[in-house]
Amino acid sequence: MRTLLNIQKQLLPDLIDVFRTRYRILHYVMLTGPVGRRTLANALNMTERVLRAEVDFLKEQGLVEIETIGIRISESGESLLLDMESVVTELFGLTDMEDRIRQAFGIQQVIIVPGNADDAPLVKRQMGHAVGQVLRKHVQPNDIIAVTGGSTMAEAADQLSRTTAWKGTWFVPARGGLGESLEFQANTIASMMAKKTGAQYRLLHVPDNISEDAYQSLMLEPNIQDIVQHIRKARIVIHGIGDAMVMARRRRVGEDTVRILQEKGALAEAFGYYFDKEGKVVHRTLMLGLRLEDIQGMELVVTVAGGRSKAEAILSVLRFGHQDVLITDEGAALELVKHLP
């Protein structure tokens, strides 16, 4: 397949461009559901005239359906997209980057979706879709799956659906709340994932960043002890990665702590820990939920983060290690490979 694609790139470059365009249209429609032509054209940065011609072609092939509420992908279109996945990663030059990153950091699997989440919000939805695929592949009956918060994780929750694989599964938050938008908190995402899959869930109703006295007091509460022990039994964890300074401000840490993070060169934050460029932990947030030793003992750790601006933070956490699956985007991956030998 690789040889054929290389030949096509050289002899039929226009055909490759058409392939990319039609794939982007089908993929967007699949992720968003019924969508109007104008919205679709704006999202894909295409003129309505060009888009109309492409949509008409896809309709003739039975790949999309046009309804009063918008353009919807057909069953044939969904089936074709699944068949195209391996070709698309090769076509966009993602396969080689996946292999390089996987080998450099000893990761079981690397999934790179096309695009840059900094520029196109749709890319987060693509990463969320990939999270769903990974979970469906690895979930086992009666699993406990811990999840963190964030906009990409919210997209992942939205992409899940009911199958028999989720029987007896529990979704739990990996940590408390940040006191920010409710829809992006770990509690909300755990409950969304459970409702989408028909699984069960438990919630942790405590702040994320607490004092030593508050921590010790809360850990004496039987109900808190019970849920924390349940969370720490998780076999799978799905977590995002944040920019260290951005996350410090969102947690409203003191100026002294911010100064310490800057002095120690903190670049990334994940599950309450701050990492420098070498992947060393330089600070931790006192919180209820998963601890570093819990993460290190997990059977499956899925890391989800994208956007060119997140590349340094992703690299920092990858150097720390203990990831089994990395789901990222083209924007971040292009920056990551620049740091590889």
Side-chain angles (χ1 to χ4, degrees), residues 96-105 315 318-319 333-341:
D96 288 340
M97 286 197 292
E98 289 175 344
D99 289 342
R100 290 185 63 189
I101 295 169
R102 180 178 54 79
Q103 292 171 11
F105 298 102
L315 183 63
L318 289 179
R319 284 174 172 161
L334 287 168
E335 294 299 314
L336 288 176
V337 295
K338 292 179 181 178
H339 297 275
L340 302 184

Side-chain angles (χ1 to χ4, degrees), residues 147 157 173 181-194 203:
V147 299
S181 300
L182 182 63
E183 66 268 29
F184 296 148
Q185 291 193 19
N187 271 336
T188 305
I189 289 166
S191 65
M192 283 176 60
M193 287 184 166
L203 304 180

Side-chain angles (χ1 to χ4, degrees), residues 4 18 43 98 110 118 131 135 155 191 214 226 253 260 264 287:
L4 177 59
V18 171
E98 289 175 344
V110 176
D118 292 341
V131 170
L135 277 183
E155 292 287 2
S191 65
D226 183 56
V253 304
I260 290 171
K264 292 185 175 181
M287 66 176 195

Side-chain angles (χ1 to χ4, degrees), residues 125-287:
R125 187 166 297 180
Q126 294 174 310
M127 288 190 287
H129 183 69
V131 170
Q133 291 178 311
V134 169
L135 277 183
R136 282 188 289 271
K137 177 181 177 181
H138 290 280
V139 68
Q140 298 176 6
N142 305 311
D143 258 343
I144 299 175
I145 302 173
V147 299
T148 62
S151 55
T152 305
M153 293 300 297
E155 292 287 2
D158 196 47
Q159 296 294 316
L160 296 180
S161 59
R162 290 175 182 257
T163 68
T164 56
W166 305 107
K167 184 178 180 180
T169 300
W170 288 83
F171 285 94
V172 296
R175 60 201 301 177
L178 278 172
E180 56 181 6
S181 300
L182 182 63
E183 66 268 29
F184 296 148
Q185 291 193 19
N187 271 336
T188 305
I189 289 166
S191 65
M192 283 176 60
M193 287 184 166
K195 291 171 183 176
K196 282 279 189 175
T197 59
Q200 302 176 81
Y201 66 94
R202 297 190 68 178
L203 304 180
L204 181 62
H205 294 295
V206 296
D208 194 35
N209 190 18
I210 56 179
S211 66
E212 178 69 32
D213 289 343
Y215 178 86
Q216 296 299 336
S217 177
L218 286 168
M219 283 302 292
L220 294 175
E221 294 290 331
N223 289 339
I224 297 296
Q225 288 181 359
D226 183 56
I227 180 60
V228 169
Q229 289 174 4
H230 195 70
I231 291 170
R232 290 175 179 172
K233 291 178 182 177
R235 190 180 72 88
I236 299 173
V237 63
I238 316 166
H239 74 89
I241 297 174
D243 176 275
M245 293 302 109
V246 171
M247 295 306 296
R249 294 187 183 94
R250 285 169 61 183
R251 287 203 170 81
R252 300 184 179 92
V253 304
E255 289 302 318
D256 289 343
T257 302
V258 171
R259 186 165 54 253
I260 290 171
L261 290 173
Q262 291 173 332
E263 290 173 354
K264 292 185 175 181
L267 291 177
E269 187 276 345
F271 36 82
Y273 294 81
Y274 291 83
F275 304 85
D276 65 13
K277 66 178 181 178
E278 301 301 327
K280 296 178 182 177
V281 176
V282 296
H283 181 75
R284 66 162 292 187
T285 301
L286 190 61
M287 66 176 195

Side-chain angles (χ1 to χ4, degrees), residues 290-315:
L290 290 181
R291 304 159 299 185
L292 196 61
E293 55 265 38
D294 300 317
I295 303 293
Q296 292 170 326
M298 293 279 180
E299 289 190 35
L300 184 68
V301 179
V302 182
T303 304
V304 190
R308 187 176 291 110
S309 62
K310 283 272 188 80
E312 277 193 324
I314 296 170
L315 183 63

